[in-house]
């Protein structure tokens, strides 16, 4: 823990202008990003008497090692810059919103020649219209099944569509009139696009015109005594009514609004939002936020950060005309102005006081309360177990602090071939898969020219590469010039930055604990590597599989944790995850090596020429025995390429590589 007085800036150095500030720790990692109308008054509040600070704020200030700031022109620019940096650096002490599920959307791929309606999750794609989110995928499919009677838009995959084009026969949906069958030319591309646009208009809330159109068609058919058509239109109307029943009318004035509700306690907050379009609830989303942020975080701060996340990224719903919240954020005018810039028109950000909108807000808040209660029940045991596991490891291994970041390394190979290694990362007892790493072990060259690739040498090589990279990144972790809002060249970004991508160097953060898969030899080898590169503040342990004993580098006997220990369970999870990650990579490498031919990788030699060579000579063995002149006899192979093939096949490394007949897939040599 650092003393805040060691990095406290002088009050006269801090400007009174609006801006964004960043706290970072001793390793250069950004741990908190905030904004302020006046940087001087806000930053000064962090360096008062520690006893007067909130516990979370006190922990953040003690963890930090420096503070920096960037001046902007107004509060709206500060809000935009704060969001972009929170998204880029993922600071530990900022509010983190975790979506309580992966919500499905009803998507219509309007960017394709023949638009397709489907259930879609994950990242939003350009040229696709989204409706939702829905609580369950089956709700989308039932709604879509009802609407296909009226809007027979394509729903099949590209493979099914192409097969139908080739055979000239539509799929089942085309035969039962739930698809207009553009694959076989029943409708033109323009007619099918009009059907898709009508479908999107209906889903967007323009329902009345389609209901009235079907009613007119039904009456006209009945007047013409065409009762079969009238019956079909009647059934179509019933299908629309059933689809409309799934989204209840909550606001009679066809309002477009997002309604937010929050339920929170001292540690966490549950947030729910209802997307209301055309007076109907078109979707619902929920998050759980760990409010481990600055000061006494209340609902105003939670609402501000929530609006940044929901609308700052790619929101399929867009920004509506109204955003209804339980309390206004601290600087509501700036937030409303920022939302207006995203929408391109004025956005009304307010708290509903009475009427239908206040009633709907109460409903959303009840949903948030129930979501928080469910989350507490599901997470209580997990949170307790993770905290207990870290405390047990700190005590059993005699560490200065709980190992909040654990890295585990494992080596995988088959009799010394295709040697690979893995590094997995656990933070606060949970895996950080975005920071996993895979290594191809090169091996240690001996004096006699042989290459040593045993487990101990491989572990030493991997650890050396990882921590030498850490030292390099740490030495280069100074400020890097960047470009701020509106081309401001005076902006600097804190933390270790990759100059190529502009992203933080995730490899630059050291762990508190390194776990290796193995016993005392592996642990001692790991300790020697860390000592050789000058790393003395990272603990190293090994977890042996036989009795699940924990080995320390300087102890003659292992540490035996109880079988029911949460600390042992956490080490086992870390070790098993490293083993899974390593063996998966090894299998990929081994599969690639088994199907690789000695002819692969020769410049100018593609699949067709490889097949011609194998057909002419019969095997790689006979091809290797041929001269350059013999090789030129093959059609399409000139003297230069023949010389390259001859040289490659007589390279010492090529002789151990099996060849594969590209026509049959059989190993021919």
């Amino acid at each position: 823990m650092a003393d805040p007085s060691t990095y406290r800036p002088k009050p006269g150095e801090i400007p009174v202008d609006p801006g964004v500030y960043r706290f970072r720790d001793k390793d250069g990692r950004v741990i908190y990003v905030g904004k302020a109308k006046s940087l001087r008054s806000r930053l000064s509040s962090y360096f008062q008497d520690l006893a007067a600070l909130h516990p979370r704020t006190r922990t953040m200030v003690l963890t930090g090692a420096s503070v920096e700031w960037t001046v902007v022109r107004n509060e709206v620019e500060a809000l935009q810059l704060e969001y972009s940096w929170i998204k880029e650096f993922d600071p530990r002490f900022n509010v983190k919103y975790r979506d309580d599920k992966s919500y499905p959307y009803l998507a219509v791929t309007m960017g394709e020649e023949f638009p397709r309606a489907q259930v879609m999750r994950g990242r939003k794609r350009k040229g696709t219209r989204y409706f939702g989110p829905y609580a369950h995928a089956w709700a989308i499919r039932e709604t879509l099944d009802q609407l296909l009677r009226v809007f027979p838009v394509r729903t099949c995959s590209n493979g099914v569509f192409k097969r139908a084009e080739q055979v000239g026969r539509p799929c089942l949906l085309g035969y039962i009139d739930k698809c207009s069958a553009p694959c076989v030319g029943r409708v033109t591309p323009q007619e099918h696009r009009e059907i898709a646009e009508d479908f999107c208009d209906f889903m967007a809330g323009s329902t009345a015109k389609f209901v009235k159109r079907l009613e007119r068609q039904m009456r006209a058919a009945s007047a013409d005594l065409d009762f079969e058509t009238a019956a079909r239109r009647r059934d179509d109307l019933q299908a629309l009514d059933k689809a409309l029943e799934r989204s209840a009318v909550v606001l009679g004035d066809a309002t477009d609004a997002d309604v937010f509700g929050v339920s929170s306690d001292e540690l966490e907050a549950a947030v729910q939002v209802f997307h209301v379009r055309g007076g109907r609830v078109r979707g619902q989303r929920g998050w759980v936020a760990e409010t481990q942020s600055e000061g006494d975080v209340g609902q105003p701060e939670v609402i501000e950060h929530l609006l940044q996340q929901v609308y700052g990224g790619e929101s399929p719903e867009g920004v509506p005309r109204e955003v209804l919240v339980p309390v206004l954020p601290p600087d509501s005018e700036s937030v409303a102005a920022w939302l207006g810039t995203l929408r391109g028109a004025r956005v009304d950000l307010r708290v509903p006081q009475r009427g239908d909108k206040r009633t709907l807000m109460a409903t959303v808040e009840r949903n948030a309360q129930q979501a928080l209660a469910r989350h507490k029940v599901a997470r209580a045991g997990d949170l307790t177990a993770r905290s207990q596991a870290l405390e047990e490891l700190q005590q059993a291994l005699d560490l200065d602090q709980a190992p909040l970041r654990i890295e585990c390394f494992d080596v995988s190979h088959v009799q010394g071939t295709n040697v690979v290694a893995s590094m997995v990362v656990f933070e606060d007892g949970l895996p950080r898969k975005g920071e996993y790493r895979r290594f191809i072990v090169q091996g240690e060259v001996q004096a006699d020219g042989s290459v040593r690739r045993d487990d101990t040498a491989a572990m030493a090589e991997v650890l050396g590469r990882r921590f030498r990279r850490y030292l390099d990144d740490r030495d280069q972790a100074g400020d890097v010039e960047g470009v701020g809002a509106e081309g401001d060249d005076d902006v600097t970004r804190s933390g270790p930055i990759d100059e190529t991508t502009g992203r933080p160097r995730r490899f630059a953060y050291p762990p508190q604990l390194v776990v290796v898969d193995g016993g005392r030899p592996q642990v001692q080898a790991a300790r020697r590597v860390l000592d050789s590169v000058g790393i003395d503040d990272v603990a190293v342990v090994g977890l042996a599989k036989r009795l699940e004993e924990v080995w320390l580098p300087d102890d003659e006997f292992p540490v035996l944790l109880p079988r029911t220990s949460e600390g042992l369970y956490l080490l086992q999870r870390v070790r098993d995850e490293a083993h899974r990650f390593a063996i998966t990579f090894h299998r990929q490498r081994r599969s690639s090596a088994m199907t690789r031919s000695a002819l692969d990788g020769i410049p100018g030699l593609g699949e067709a020429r490889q097949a011609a060579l194998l057909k002419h000579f019969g095997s790689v063995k006979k091809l290797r025995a041929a001269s350059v002149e013999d090789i030129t006899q093959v059609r399409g192979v000139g003297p230069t390429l023949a010389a390259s093939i001859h040289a490659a096949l007589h390279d010492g490394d090529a002789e151990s590589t099996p060849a594969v007949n590209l026509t049959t897939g059989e190993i021919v040599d």
Side-chain angles (χ1 to χ4, degrees):
M1 294 293 183
D3 183 0
S5 62
T6 59
Y7 67 93
R8 176 179 182 175
K10 296 179 181 179
E13 297 176 349
I14 309 175
V16 296
D17 303 304
V20 181
Y21 55 93
R22 294 90 66 202
F23 281 84
R24 64 178 182 179
D25 60 13
K26 62 182 180 62
D27 299 306
R29 185 173 192 170
V30 177
I31 60 173
Y32 185 74
V33 175
K35 65 172 180 59
K37 287 185 177 180
S38 172
L39 287 168
R40 179 178 298 177
S41 60
R42 175 61 62 84
L43 290 177
S44 298
S45 66
Y46 288 102
F47 297 99
Q48 56 180 301
D49 183 12
L50 291 177
L53 294 176
H54 188 276
R56 290 187 294 273
T57 307
R58 183 165 59 247
T59 302
M60 187 269 290
V61 173
L62 291 173
T63 305
S66 63
V67 61
E68 299 169 350
W69 56 85
T70 299
V71 176
V72 296
R73 294 182 299 182
N74 51 54
E75 291 85 353
V76 176
E77 286 188 2
L79 194 68
Q80 293 171 333
L81 187 59
E82 180 193 29
Y83 168 75
S84 64
W85 278 351
I86 289 176
K87 186 176 181 180
E88 178 176 2
F89 294 110
D90 189 22
R92 173 184 171 189
F93 287 94
N94 278 93
V95 175
K96 293 181 175 65
Y97 293 92
R98 291 181 171 86
D99 206 344
D100 55 5
K101 59 173 68 70
S102 175
Y103 289 94
Y105 289 86
L106 173 56
V108 184
T109 58
M110 299 301 294
E112 298 181 359
E113 180 183 6
F114 297 100
R116 174 191 176 194
Q118 60 181 316
V119 179
M120 191 174 289
R121 300 176 186 262
R123 187 174 60 88
K124 308 304 178 291
R125 303 173 184 174
K126 187 177 181 180
T128 300
R129 292 195 62 180
Y130 293 88
F131 304 95
Y134 289 78
H136 303 284
W138 56 261
I140 301 179
R141 295 188 179 96
E142 288 188 2
T143 301
L144 186 58
D145 184 66
Q146 294 288 341
L147 294 179
L148 287 179
R149 287 186 54 89
V150 185
F151 308 104
V153 68
R154 169 198 163 206
T155 58
C156 60
S157 64
N158 291 332
V160 173
F161 188 86
K162 291 179 180 178
R163 284 195 297 272
E165 279 185 321
Q166 293 171 353
V167 301
R169 188 171 62 250
C171 63
L172 176 63
L173 292 178
Y175 282 111
I176 63 176
D177 294 329
K178 285 193 173 182
C179 178
S180 56
C183 54
V184 295
R186 286 187 186 174
V187 295
T188 65
Q190 182 58 34
E191 290 172 339
H192 183 266
R193 180 167 292 276
E194 291 174 358
I195 295 173
E197 290 174 350
D198 288 344
F199 176 78
C200 292
D201 290 343
F202 181 86
M203 292 301 301
S206 301
T207 58
K209 65 178 183 180
F210 297 105
V211 173
K212 292 179 180 178
R213 185 175 71 182
L214 288 176
E215 288 177 345
R216 287 196 305 267
Q217 294 174 355
M218 181 180 65
R219 293 193 182 98
S222 179
D224 294 338
L225 304 181
D226 186 359
F227 298 115
E228 291 184 357
T229 301
R232 283 197 296 269
R233 296 297 173 262
R234 178 203 60 197
D235 294 341
D236 292 344
L237 281 171
Q238 293 175 352
L240 292 187
D241 289 339
K242 289 182 179 179
L244 291 174
E245 288 173 0
R246 298 186 182 278
S247 54
V249 177
V250 293
L251 299 175
D253 56 354
T255 300
D256 290 347
D258 285 347
V259 187
F260 291 86
V262 179
S263 177
S264 61
D265 57 17
E266 294 181 355
L267 298 177
E268 294 178 305
V271 182
Q272 291 282 316
V273 56
F274 281 14
H275 300 289
V276 180
R277 299 295 182 269
R280 296 177 178 272
V281 178
R282 296 294 181 184
Q284 174 187 2
R285 299 180 72 186
W287 295 267
V288 174
E290 295 180 1
T291 55
Q292 48 183 10
S293 180
E294 71 169 290
D296 297 305
V297 175
Q299 283 196 5
E301 289 79 9
V302 170
I303 290 296
E304 179 179 296
H305 290 292
L306 176 68
L307 295 178
Q308 282 182 300
Q309 171 166 315
V310 172
Y311 300 116
E314 186 178 0
S315 175
E317 289 293 313
V319 182
R321 288 193 296 267
E322 287 185 86
V323 177
L324 307 180
V325 293
V327 293
L328 291 175
D331 190 3
S332 59
E333 294 181 359
S334 299
V335 175
W338 173 63
L339 294 175
T341 60
L342 297 178
R343 182 173 184 263
R346 184 176 180 273
V347 175
D348 188 8
L349 176 64
R350 63 189 182 89
V351 179
Q353 300 295 332
R354 62 183 66 86
D356 293 338
K357 294 177 181 178
R358 179 60 203 170
T359 302
L360 180 58
M361 173 70 71
T363 301
V364 181
E365 289 178 340
R366 283 197 299 272
N367 277 266
Q369 292 170 1
Q370 295 173 3
L372 182 62
R374 291 195 302 269
H375 174 76
K376 288 294 184 183
V377 171
R379 294 281 291 172
D382 184 48
L383 288 169
T384 303
R386 285 192 286 122
S387 300
Q388 181 181 349
L390 295 176
E391 291 177 2
E392 288 181 1
L393 290 179
Q394 179 183 1
Q395 296 174 1
L397 305 178
D398 195 21
L399 303 177
D400 295 334
Q401 57 180 330
L404 297 180
R405 181 182 173 102
I406 303 174
E407 294 181 0
C408 183
F409 297 81
D410 189 23
V411 176
S412 181
H413 61 88
V414 173
Q415 295 182 349
T417 61
N418 299 310
V419 184
V420 299
S422 67
M423 181 189 91
V424 301
V425 179
F426 274 57
E427 287 192 357
D428 294 334
L430 295 175
R432 288 289 295 259
K433 294 190 177 182
E435 300 189 18
Y436 286 11
R437 294 293 183 272
R438 303 185 298 187
F439 300 85
I440 299 176
V441 177
Q442 307 296 332
E444 179 183 351
V445 180
Q446 304 296 307
D448 58 358
S450 62
V451 179
R452 180 188 173 200
R453 290 193 181 97
D454 59 79
D455 285 356
T456 303
M459 186 66 69
E461 176 187 334
V462 170
L463 285 170
R465 288 164 59 183
R466 187 266 181 268
F467 282 97
R468 277 192 293 270
R469 173 70 179 275
Y470 155 63
L471 294 175
D472 291 342
D473 286 350
R474 187 187 66 179
D475 294 339
Q476 300 172 13
D479 289 339
V480 178
E481 293 295 329
V483 178
E486 301 297 332
D488 183 5
D489 292 330
D490 294 329
V491 179
T492 58
R493 283 194 268 181
S494 63
I497 302 296
D498 190 319
E499 297 180 8
T500 303
T501 63
R503 304 291 297 174
R505 284 196 180 103
R506 300 288 186 183
F507 222 44
Y509 307 131
Q512 284 83 41
L513 178 64
V514 168
V515 181
V516 296
D517 184 17
R520 191 178 182 188
Q522 286 79 10
V523 176
Q524 291 178 337
R527 184 71 267 172
R528 286 195 298 269
V529 173
L530 296 186
D531 292 340
S532 66
V533 297
I535 302 293
D536 57 2
D537 57 349
V538 176
V540 182
V541 300
L543 185 62
K545 291 187 178 69
R546 189 170 65 89
L547 297 176
E548 301 290 13
E549 62 265 28
V550 180
W551 287 90
L552 299 176
D554 299 327
D555 292 354
E556 185 178 356
F557 300 100
V559 177
L560 297 178
L561 297 175
R563 288 291 179 177
T564 58
S565 167
E566 291 293 341
L568 178 60
Y569 176 63
L570 176 59
L571 289 180
Q572 289 172 330
R573 284 185 58 210
V574 174
R575 189 266 318 278
D576 293 344
E577 178 70 356
H579 181 68
R580 179 199 65 80
F581 196 51
I583 200 169
T584 300
F585 185 40
H586 169 72
R587 286 170 177 166
Q588 293 173 356
R589 296 272 300 173
R590 189 176 61 193
S591 295
S592 176
M594 291 178 66
T595 58
R596 182 176 175 84
S597 168
L599 302 178
D600 291 339
I602 299 177
L605 188 62
E607 292 185 4
R609 288 176 176 170
Q610 287 187 31
L613 287 169
L614 291 174
K615 183 178 180 180
H616 181 83
F617 290 100
S619 69
V620 174
K621 183 177 181 180
K622 294 180 180 179
L623 176 60
R624 185 178 290 115
S627 64
V628 175
E629 291 76 11
D630 295 334
I631 298 176
T632 56
Q633 300 301 315
V634 179
R635 185 178 180 181
V637 179
T640 303
L641 179 57
S644 299
I645 296 172
H646 187 272
L649 292 179
H650 287 79
D651 187 0
D653 294 338
E655 295 183 3
S656 61
T657 307
V660 177
N661 188 320
L662 298 179
T663 304
T664 64
E666 298 176 348
I667 297 178
V668 295
D669 185 22

